[in-house]
Amino acid sequence: MKPEEILKKRWGYDSFKPLQKEAIEAAFEGRDCLVVLPTGGGKSLCYQLPAAAGKGLVLVVSPLIALMDDQVAAAREAGLAADALHSNLKAGPKREVYANLNNGTTELLYVSPERLLSGDLYEAIAPRLVLAAVDEAHCVSHWGHEFRPEYRKLTEALDHFPKAARMALTATATPAVREDILKQLALRSPQVLIGHPDRPNLVYRAFPRRDQVKQVLETVHRHPGEGGIVYAQTRKDVERIAAQLKKEGVSCAPYHAGLNAAERQQAQHDFVNERLDVIVATIAFGMGIDRSNVRYVVHANTPRSVEHYQQESGRAGRDGLPADCTLLFAASDLAAHRWLAKKDIHLSAERTRALEKQLKDIGRYAVAPVCRHGLLSEHFGEPYPADGGPRGEAGCGACDVCLGETKGLPEAEARLTAKKVLSAAWRAEGRYGTGYVVNLLLGRPSDRMAANGHDALQVFGLLKEAGEPAVRSWIDQLIVQDYLEVTEDDEYPLLRITAAGRALCQDKGEVRLGLPVQPAKGKKKPAALKKVAATFLQSDEELFDRLRAIRRALADKAGVAPYVICNDATLVDIAASKPATPEALLDIKGMGEKRVQKYGQFFLDAVAGKREIPLAD
Ligand code: ADP
Ligand code: MG
Ligand code: ZN
């Protein structure tokens, strides 16, 4: 059977996503390959489809036991003979896995790295193995964000299967991480497949943080009943924000390393099974969350790097439907990251430089009044749009800048404003904190100000009209552009003008300043959302909700996560096109033969308007 035919029959998809076919062909040819595709890019299919071709066994090394069972369940939904081996497996199921392996029925086997490295599988696997896939391959690299020592030993294990092709897969890989993967996994003249990092269905926004909880709630309220993740910096932040969201009636739970394992597991389980809408978490949460209908990710604090941001925000919208990613920025977050990094470990000069660059990059991303899709793509070394062509009048149509929610000041105005802010900092001589300089610019008198004679300065009240949020944001924007700095060596953080800042006051250098625009009432919807909404009527929405409830009931009964049954994009398709027969259902994207057999009648009944959910006990 041709790959396209297997894709349609097993998964119900008509066409491959970018680079899937190339990866699959490499596997068929027995060639090693590296696959870099963004989250939601469909990496699993690259090794699952070869397993479905009946040519032999496919092994998948995956670092996350929690995820493995769901992945196996999803592969079985596509009709694959899939199993997993990991330390949490009970004796009975384990025997079954071995039996399947020994009688040659297993097509796809997931293992944890520890399990593989223990060595007792080599003999059973080696004769039938055609492909060894290493998922989350960035874990081999110190340069990545999730280094795992046992990943470094994987080549030892892979060397037991000299005839099997190797496939390494990851979502975000900078050139350094890529090099590391190729080397550490000893890929042999590999085909390197690098997808475009852009996620067109994500709407990116970055705003200065003014009122954290209120701003978080703006996004949460836009998505009633939908799944979302709110990231905060510290455990305390998490607890505080979660408590306030709960008070507002939001279905949510906190998640951080200070909770015990059972509490964390419960929160994660409830979220994945759609019994909980929102998780408020530190970055301890996320890897191993494959819930595909996360509709938004809000960063209540600034993440550590653009790589972290890409990874964390990327958990939204895996199903390809529109999703919101909002970052609330404050320069003080960067100082907190710096402080933490330096406290924990003794940093080499090289690592310190790397850290400073990461902080600078994420700061620039957050405050530059420039298309965010463009900034992210360019950060990962790719042009935007992918073909490098013009962006068109509406820009990407899916970020705060292109949607007109953040406005860049015209060049002359930006320069003038910057000079006003800088001259106040200059006059304060680096002896005061940000708050003092803000008060100076806003013309707020105080005893201290009078004692210093600063209330008589020309800069006193120079930006009174702009208001405090704008002035604070401009200071942050000037910090990330290196015109101002906050000194840390003192007991109190002091705001100081830099040499570049003094040069800018003499019109040497470029500056960009932006300002969030107060959203107008009945504000326009992002283009991506409009496209879906146009074909989606009120009645479809009700049907969609009912289909979701049926899916949850089916998932409960089968003991799997709802996204394993099928994703939201498939349900949207059913709700919009209302198939009446199993044949028509087969035409829906994501409904393969096995799924239609197993669940078709339930979905068809819902479309036909049969009221009760057949499964709910
Ligand atoms: P990744 O591991 O790259 O983040 P997944 O393998 O989890 O991505 O796939 C993301 C989503 O894309 C899944 O819901 C999957 O069913 C869907 N998908 C995969 N391949 C295709 C395809 N060819 N056409 C449409 N959807 C696809
Ligand atoms: Mg994956
Ligand atoms: Zn844009």
Side-chain angles (χ1 to χ4, degrees), residues 289-309:
I289 294 301
D290 259 9
R291 176 169 171 179
S292 61
N293 60 351
V294 173
R295 290 273 71 85
Y296 59 93
V297 172
V298 182
H299 279 75
N301 293 96
T302 316
R304 228 184 295 179
S305 67
V306 177
E307 283 75 15
H308 279 88
Y309 187 58

Side-chain angles (χ1 to χ4, degrees), residues 438-593:
V438 169
N439 287 336
L440 183 58
L441 282 161
L442 291 174
R444 287 178 182 155
S446 67
D447 292 346
R448 201 159 152 232
M449 191 101 32
N452 293 329
H454 285 165
D455 55 356
L457 292 175
Q458 224 181 353
V459 293
F460 186 76
L462 200 55
L463 285 172
K464 200 174 188 142
E465 310 296 303
E468 177 165 347
V471 171
R472 280 193 178 270
S473 170
W474 285 328
I475 289 176
D476 279 355
Q477 296 179 38
L478 291 169
I479 291 173
V480 302
Q481 293 176 76
D482 286 331
Y483 294 122
L484 288 173
E485 64 183 357
V486 176
T487 59
E488 291 156 66
D489 27 302
D490 241 300
E491 198 176 340
Y492 300 104
L494 305 177
L495 188 67
R496 190 150 61 192
I497 188 168
T498 62
R502 285 193 292 270
L504 190 72
C505 287
Q506 281 139 20
D507 284 326
K508 281 180 222 134
E510 305 274 327
V511 66
R512 272 175 165 157
L513 291 181
L515 202 60
V517 177
Q518 277 308 317
K521 282 262 175 317
K523 159 177 89 168
K524 60 177 174 178
K525 273 194 174 176
L529 297 181
K530 252 194 266 170
K531 217 165 56 198
V532 177
T535 53
F536 221 59
L537 308 169
Q538 176 73 37
S539 58
D540 298 344
E541 225 170 291
E542 279 158 24
L543 179 54
F544 173 74
D545 285 342
R546 275 170 40 71
L547 290 167
R548 244 184 99 182
I550 289 172
R551 179 180 59 183
R552 194 163 49 228
L554 289 165
D556 269 355
K557 195 158 183 180
V560 297
Y563 75 83
V564 166
I565 307 275
C566 68
N567 68 27
D568 278 20
T570 299
L571 295 188
V572 166
D573 218 4
I574 296 177
S577 64
K578 305 188 184 48
T581 62
E583 291 71 38
L585 201 54
L586 257 182
D587 276 343
I588 301 280
K589 254 192 176 182
M591 291 300 288
E593 283 179 2

